[in-house]
Amino acid sequence: IKVKIGLRDAADEPFMGVGLAWLLRGVEKGGSLSLAARDMGMSYSKAHKLVKLLEAALGGPVLATARGGSSRGGSALTPGGRKFLGRFEKLDAAVKAQAEKLFEKEFPGGRIK
């Protein structure tokens, strides 16, 4: 079973999913939104747009950025961004674990028939 969760705002617009979680973890690891986007095969402009949509939905910054190119610039998760990402990942893991239990209950041993 494969379960993907996503969060939507009050207008039913998506603002968070596993792809954006991966992008934010990439920023945390590499210190750069540009590098994280490139590692995922995503354009910087798309990555930037996704982060801005998330920040608008949350009402605050998720990334702190420093301008200045490869030697002085970069991005890092804000404390609020780090907390939100951790909570999202915890929710994602819990939903997947529960879905696996329900699937096993309805289809023991993975037998569909």
Side-chain angles (χ1 to χ4, degrees), residues 48-66:
H48 186 262
K49 179 182 174 186
L50 291 172
V51 169
K52 290 300 173 192
L53 287 171
L54 175 61
E55 290 178 336
L58 297 179
V62 173
L63 292 183
T65 58

Side-chain angles (χ1 to χ4, degrees), residues 12 17 23 39 51 54-55 61 71 81 96 102-103:
D12 203 31
L23 180 69
D39 287 349
V51 169
L54 175 61
E55 290 178 336
S71 62
K96 287 176 180 176
L102 291 169
F103 182 81

Side-chain angles (χ1 to χ4, degrees), residues 18-113:
V18 69
L20 185 49
W22 293 339
L23 180 69
L24 294 176
R25 282 295 173 206
V27 170
E28 188 173 55
K29 179 182 174 187
S32 164
L33 179 60
S34 178
L35 180 60
R38 190 176 10 193
D39 287 349
M40 291 180 65
M42 180 187 299
S43 71
Y44 174 80
S45 61
K46 181 174 181 176
H48 186 262
K49 179 182 174 186
L50 291 172
V51 169
K52 290 300 173 192
L53 287 171
L54 175 61
E55 290 178 336
L58 297 179
V62 173
L63 292 183
T65 58
R67 302 188 101 174
S70 61
S71 62
R72 294 172 289 154
S75 297
L77 293 176
T78 63
R82 201 170 9 271
K83 182 177 179 181
F84 173 77
L85 180 57
R87 291 173 66 199
F88 177 82
E89 289 174 334
K90 186 177 178 180
L91 173 66
D92 184 58
V95 168
K96 287 176 180 176
Q98 188 63 32
E100 288 175 10
K101 287 178 187 177
L102 291 169
F103 182 81
E104 182 59 32
K105 179 181 175 187
E106 294 299 323
F107 302 98
R111 291 183 301 269
I112 303 297
K113 294 182 181 183

